[in-house]
Amino acid sequence: MPGPQWLKSSYSDSGGNNCVEVASVRTGVALRDSKRPANVFVTGRASFGALIESLRSDSLGTGR
């Protein structure tokens, strides 16, 4: 069985070595740092969607 298909963030640096990667997995959404690919965080789809929506609406107070 093949592993997850990792997608790099559109905010990755040009070398592709400094980015966040995401993958859809059976239990939800997996995230990892490209510099440390063995460290994987898995969260539910609803929680991941809420995080993305918060980032888009700047409700986390990032100022970006």
Side-chain angles (χ1 to χ4, degrees):
M1 173 182 258
Q5 296 297 312
W6 292 98
L7 302 170
K8 292 186 180 188
S9 167
S10 61
Y11 288 94
S12 298
D13 70 0
S14 60
N17 297 323
N18 189 23
C19 61
V20 173
E21 298 174 315
V22 298
S24 179
V25 294
R26 183 178 47 85
T27 57
V29 178
L31 298 106
R32 70 181 184 182
D33 181 339
S34 61
K35 294 182 297 298
R36 295 185 177 95
N39 297 336
V40 177
F41 172 77
V42 178
T43 188
R45 284 173 175 52
S47 296
F48 182 72
L51 171 64
I52 296 302
E53 187 56 39
S54 294
L55 293 170
R56 286 183 178 153
S57 67
D58 195 28
S59 65
L60 295 177
T62 61
R64 292 194 207 192

